[in-house]
Structure formats: C-alpha cells, structure tokens
Amino acid sequence: MHNLTENQSRRSLNGIPAPMFIPDEHIPGILALLPVKSLLRFRCLSKSHDSLISSPTFVKLHLTRSARNMDLTLVSTSDDNVLSFTIFRLHQNPPIIFNLPEDPYYQLDDKHGLDIVGSCNGLLCLFGHSFTANFDIETWIRFWNPATRTISEKLGYTIHNNLHFHHNLTFCYVNSTDTYKVAYLVPNTNNVCVFSIGDNVWRNIQNSPLDHGYSLNVANLGKSINWLAIHDYRSHYDCNNITIQQFIIISLDLGTETHSQLLPPQGFMEVPIVAPYLSVLKDCLCFSHDYKQTHFVIWEMKEFGVGDSWIQLFKISYNNLQVYDHLNDSEFHLFPLFLSEKTGTLLLTNDLESRAILYNWRYNTVERVNKPWFNNMNYVESLVSYH
C-alpha cells in the first residue's frame, strides 16, 4: 500500500472531501451567474455579501451575464394587474414556445389601471391614471423591478385630458450617461418631453422636425427613439389623402437629446391601404408595409442613419402567411416581433387574430401559436434599481 501524503490524508479524512476555497477575486464572477432570487438570499448571509451584491459594479456585471442568455420575452398584463412572462425559444428546432406558470412573485398589487410603457435592463416603466374630482385625468409613471420586487413611488404627475397618453411614451436607457429616460411625443405638436430618473420632472427639449404631423408608431432602438410619422397630416390614417412624400421617420438621440430626420426606403413607392410600421429586428431599425394587398414587405436599415443602407429583408405572399381572410379589413395590421436567422423563423402578430403567426421562410411553412400577451418587449431579470 502506498503511503498517503499529508494533503491526501486531509482530503480523505473520514471519507469527507476537504472544503474547497475560492479566491476572493473569483467570487463576484461566480455569483454573477446566479439568478436574482438566489442573490437576494445571499445578501442575507453577511454584511460583506450584501455589500458586494448591492454594489453598482456587481449589478452591472450580473446584468451583462444575464443579457447574454436573454431570449425574447413578451410581457403581458391581465385584468388584475398580474404580469406573466412568455419566453420564445426560437433557436430550437422545431421552435418551442411556452408560458411560465403564473408566479405570485411577479404580481403587482395596484388597484389603478396600469400600462407597460417599456422594459430596460430589468426595469419596467409603468403608466397609471385616475380621475380627479373635476373629471380631469391625472397620470403618473412608476419604475418596477419584478425580480427584486421593488417599485418606485408615483412620479411625473401630470393632469390633462388625454387618456391615451401612454401610446406616445417610450422608455430607454442611455448608456453614455447611465441614465433611464422616458420620452413623450406630444400629439399634434412638434414637442417632445423627457423624464429622467433622478431629475423626476418632465421637461421640454428641442422641437422636432415634425411640424403639424401625425405619429403612427414608435420604435426603440436603444440609443435612439424613432417615430414613424406623416408630415402635415392630422387626421386618422386614410391612404387616399396621403402622398408617399409625407412619410418621414423622426429620430431622437437620447444622449444628446437632438433630432434628425430619416426617410423610408426608396423602394417604398405606393401608399399602402393600412399604415406602415416601424419595428426593431436583429437590433436594426425595420420598416414594414402592405404591398398591393398581395404581399407583406419588411425592410432593414443595415447602418442606422444611412438612407442608402435600406435592404429588403422579406416580401412574403399573404397566401403563404395564410391571412387571406382579413385582406379586405382596414383594421388588419401585421406587426413583426422577432426574427431568428438560426431557425429561419419570423414571428408576426396582428390585431384580428387570437394567435400569432410563426413563419419559416426556409421551408415556406406557417403555424399559429397562442398569443397570450398584450405588450411585447425584451425583459431580463436584473438587480438594477430605479434610484
């Protein structure tokens, strides 16, 4: 029998392996791999754990690690203000779509009507409203981290008569200044208001190039907010009263708080029967529209701000999408939500069907999937605070 060394003897003492010691410099990297719920428990172990996990450096490290594994997450609200999270795993073949079970951890106890404005780095911006004694509409915003179960007080109080105020709100994170901002395009004006966490007040910024225009929708590209609008137009969308030259894209750089004006793709040459739509696919600005009620077209701006970089991603026959029953309905709009090049899958939704469309362009196949959400946005669990 070989003689055991002293170290080997210690390791095998009573058959119990000796404990392994992790150098202090490796602990943050290991902890950053854990989910938020586990980290919140670790904070209770000691003051040193609490100090480490609460530090801004660790919060950013954990966010970076979490974002690497982020799938498209669709956030929805039910009548009792319970938020559920639906995760799309389109990288699997065949794609798998499933709902997480309703989790009391993600319930928000608030009796007032709430809408989700947006999601950034694990923070959700919520919009709420109530009626005053004079029947004016009082509105506010709150910032909620469902993973840490923390929520801000009601901020940014305003009183006005526009119940659809939230449709022109957008929530963004400005990396250059490490600031969270909410932007609001004031309807029927050329004004933009911005609310910054920390300042906690609404303020007007430089007038936009959109004068007397009609905003169709907004796309959040992270570094910029982009409104698709119709210049010199104030009515509801009517293709018979609009020219192709009136369509513009107003881009707001949230770092500098300055505007620029972009044009739709040059291949967009005919006013469609339903309003075109701005979206973000593959982290690029995209422009989609109907074509002669026969095809659905999606363009991608490969290099943001460069008009010549628009390329046509798709021109898909409605027959292939199996939506021919709705083509004569003026309320039928297709909205691109997500694109997976790995599986050749495009996810689309619309207002008239209870199920979404999963289109595989490689095999030209379509399947319908349950659509239990009302708002779609990327979400990742984080330790980020609204303070």
Side-chain angles (χ1 to χ4, degrees), residues 300-325:
E300 176 188 19
M301 181 175 267
K302 298 291 290 184
E303 185 177 350
F304 181 74
V306 179
D308 292 338
S309 69
W310 284 110
I311 63 166
Q312 189 178 107
L313 273 184
F314 300 103
K315 186 176 182 180
I316 311 169
S317 167
Y318 288 130
N319 287 331
N320 293 338
L321 293 177
Q322 300 174 15
V323 295
Y324 20 74
D325 293 340

Side-chain angles (χ1 to χ4, degrees), residues 147-371:
T148 61
R149 306 183 78 171
T150 55
I151 188 168
S152 75
E153 60 183 338
K154 295 174 182 178
L155 304 169
Y157 276 95
T158 57
I159 295 180
H160 49 78
N161 58 5
N162 180 13
L163 186 58
H164 301 289
F165 180 82
H166 68 282
H167 292 309
N168 288 321
L169 289 170
T170 308
F171 181 44
C172 288
Y173 171 70
V174 184
N175 186 62
S176 60
T177 57
D178 191 24
T179 307
Y180 292 88
K181 296 183 178 182
V182 182
Y184 172 55
L185 178 64
V186 183
N188 299 321
T189 73
N190 59 343
N191 296 322
V192 175
C193 299
V194 170
F195 180 96
S196 300
I197 294 183
D199 296 341
N200 294 342
V201 294
W202 288 102
R203 55 188 175 82
N204 292 316
I205 63 173
Q206 170 195 341
N207 287 348
S208 78
L210 180 61
D211 187 17
H212 305 299
Y214 179 77
S215 175
L216 293 173
N217 83 291
V218 60
N220 184 349
L221 203 54
K223 295 180 180 179
S224 66
I225 299 174
N226 303 273
W227 285 276
L228 177 60
I230 306 172
H231 181 68
D232 195 24
Y233 189 81
R234 287 192 173 182
S235 181
H236 293 292
Y237 186 88
D238 183 351
C239 63
N240 297 312
N241 295 321
I242 304 168
T243 65
I244 204 73
Q245 291 76 21
Q246 288 178 269
F247 289 97
I248 58 173
I249 299 170
I250 304 301
S251 181
L252 170 63
D253 185 313
L254 281 175
T256 60
E257 295 189 352
T258 56
H259 299 87
S260 59
Q261 182 174 316
L262 308 174
L263 294 177
Q266 292 184 1
F268 177 59
M269 302 174 65
E270 183 177 313
V271 179
I273 190 171
V274 295
Y277 187 76
L278 275 189
S279 60
V280 177
L281 300 173
K282 302 186 302 179
D283 295 324
C284 290
L285 187 67
C286 291
F287 179 90
S288 56
H289 62 91
D290 166 81
Y291 176 75
K292 296 183 181 298
Q293 292 185 274
T294 61
H295 291 77
F296 183 67
V297 181
I298 302 178
W299 302 81
E300 176 188 19
M301 181 175 267
K302 298 291 290 184
E303 185 177 350
F304 181 74
V306 179
D308 292 338
S309 69
W310 284 110
I311 63 166
Q312 189 178 107
L313 273 184
F314 300 103
K315 186 176 182 180
I316 311 169
S317 167
Y318 288 130
N319 287 331
N320 293 338
L321 293 177
Q322 300 174 15
V323 295
Y324 20 74
D325 293 340
H326 303 298
L327 294 183
N328 293 323
D329 195 322
S330 60
E331 298 300 318
F332 177 70
H333 295 77
L334 279 175
F335 306 113
L337 294 185
F338 186 70
L339 184 152
S340 171
E341 289 188 323
K342 187 172 183 179
T343 61
T345 306
L346 175 67
L347 180 68
L348 301 156
T349 188
N350 66 79
D351 291 335
L352 300 181
E353 293 185 283
S354 60
R355 294 187 298 171
I357 300 169
L358 207 56
Y359 174 69
N360 189 299
W361 66 83
R362 292 177 185 160
Y363 303 104
N364 199 27
T365 58
V366 168
E367 63 177 298
R368 294 296 198 274
V369 294
N370 290 332
K371 188 182 70 171

